[in-house]
Amino acid sequence: WSSTNSLPGTVVIPVMFHSIMKPGDTVGDNQISQEQFTELMGGLESRGFEAITTAQLAAFLEKNSRIPARSVILIVDDRHHADYFNQYFRPWWVGDKWPVVNAWISASRDNLDEALWQEQEVLNAEGWVDYEAHGVVHNTPMWPGVSDAYIMGELQGSIDAFKAHFNKVPIAIIWPGGGFSPRAVEIARQLGYRLGFTTNARGPLMFNWIPLGDKVTPVHG
């Protein structure tokens, strides 16, 4: 520790948004309303939190590099069009310089892919949407029992797609479905991933001093 590092007591809260629903839409268990989103973001701001990128978080965890004493990392799950980011997250970038992480699925799915990729490339070039890996096939988590070949395809496939479209290499894997295994973590490390995120309260320990929940979260296929 030194005076240039993060202060003792520095905290980071990861927040994952699966879907933000428009007024009048039904809000499911893994979704929040637009009103709840505004309340959450305003609450974070009023309590002195500031948003950071995955690179800042990795540097903090690895070297105690300085980040805001109250930090939050905002993670958008899956694939959304640019208007989703522009509507909900751009105002926070313009007003407070809060970046947002996009856990991006790299698979090709439909005829809209080319246009969707182009939208993401534009956002990536602007610099405030921090794209990180969320798998390729994505629908089968990298939990115990899947092959090394599948894990490699999900992790290396994301790297290849990011190089082609974003001219970058992802440093974080947001585990699809929250599923992981010791072998998946090992392969991720070998490929250069520095961070892993999961919805499981007891996650894959790349850093053995991070507090964990008391129980394993049930995994649902």
Side-chain angles (χ1 to χ4, degrees):
W1 183 86
S2 76
S3 60
T4 61
N5 292 131
S6 285
L7 300 175
T10 296
V11 297
V12 183
I13 299 177
V15 179
M16 190 273 281
F17 302 92
H18 187 268
S19 294
I20 302 168
M21 308 305 290
K22 296 179 180 179
D25 290 344
T26 301
V27 179
D29 292 338
N30 60 354
Q31 301 162 338
I32 62 172
S33 67
Q34 186 173 330
E35 181 180 4
Q36 289 170 324
F37 171 78
T38 301
E39 182 180 359
L40 170 64
M41 298 291 277
L44 288 168
E45 182 183 45
S46 67
R47 289 166 175 79
F49 280 87
E50 299 178 51
I52 62 174
T53 65
T54 49
Q56 288 177 287
L57 178 58
F60 167 68
L61 292 172
E62 295 168 351
K63 300 180 295 184
N64 196 34
S65 294
R66 182 175 285 269
I67 60 173
R70 292 188 175 189
S71 291
V72 61
I73 185 161
L74 308 169
I75 304 173
V76 170
D77 193 43
D78 300 339
R79 293 151 54 108
H80 294 278
H81 283 279
D83 58 2
Y84 185 87
F85 293 95
N86 290 328
Q87 177 179 358
Y88 297 118
F89 294 96
R90 187 182 288 275
W92 295 95
W93 170 251
V94 173
D96 293 326
K97 295 302 178 185
W98 282 13
V100 58
V101 178
N102 187 191
W104 180 254
I105 303 171
S106 298
S108 294
R109 290 185 177 177
D110 52 47
N111 294 330
L112 297 178
D113 270 354
E114 183 176 353
L116 188 59
W117 272 113
Q118 290 175 353
E119 290 179 8
Q120 310 310 312
E121 290 167 0
V122 170
L123 287 175
N124 176 68
E126 291 181 4
W128 59 279
V129 181
D130 174 16
Y131 288 88
E132 298 298 339
H134 197 32
V136 179
V137 176
H138 169 267
N139 289 331
T140 300
M142 288 173 270
W143 46 32
V146 301
S147 68
D148 281 12
Y150 178 77
I151 296 171
M152 184 65 72
E154 290 292 278
L155 297 173
Q156 184 63 53
S158 294
I159 292 173
D160 295 341
F162 274 51
K163 285 181 177 178
H165 290 278
F166 300 140
N167 194 30
K168 64 173 281 186
V169 174
I171 64 169
I173 174 66
I174 292 83
W175 299 105
F180 60 89
S181 68
R183 182 58 177 155
V185 174
E186 181 180 22
I187 294 175
R189 276 301 205 188
Q190 291 171 356
L191 293 176
Y193 286 91
R194 297 164 63 190
L195 296 174
F197 293 89
T198 179
T199 53
N200 198 308
R202 296 191 65 82
L205 280 184
M206 293 185 177
F207 304 93
N208 61 11
W209 47 269
I210 295 179
L212 298 178
D214 293 330
K215 297 179 180 180
V216 174
T217 305
V219 176
H220 302 286

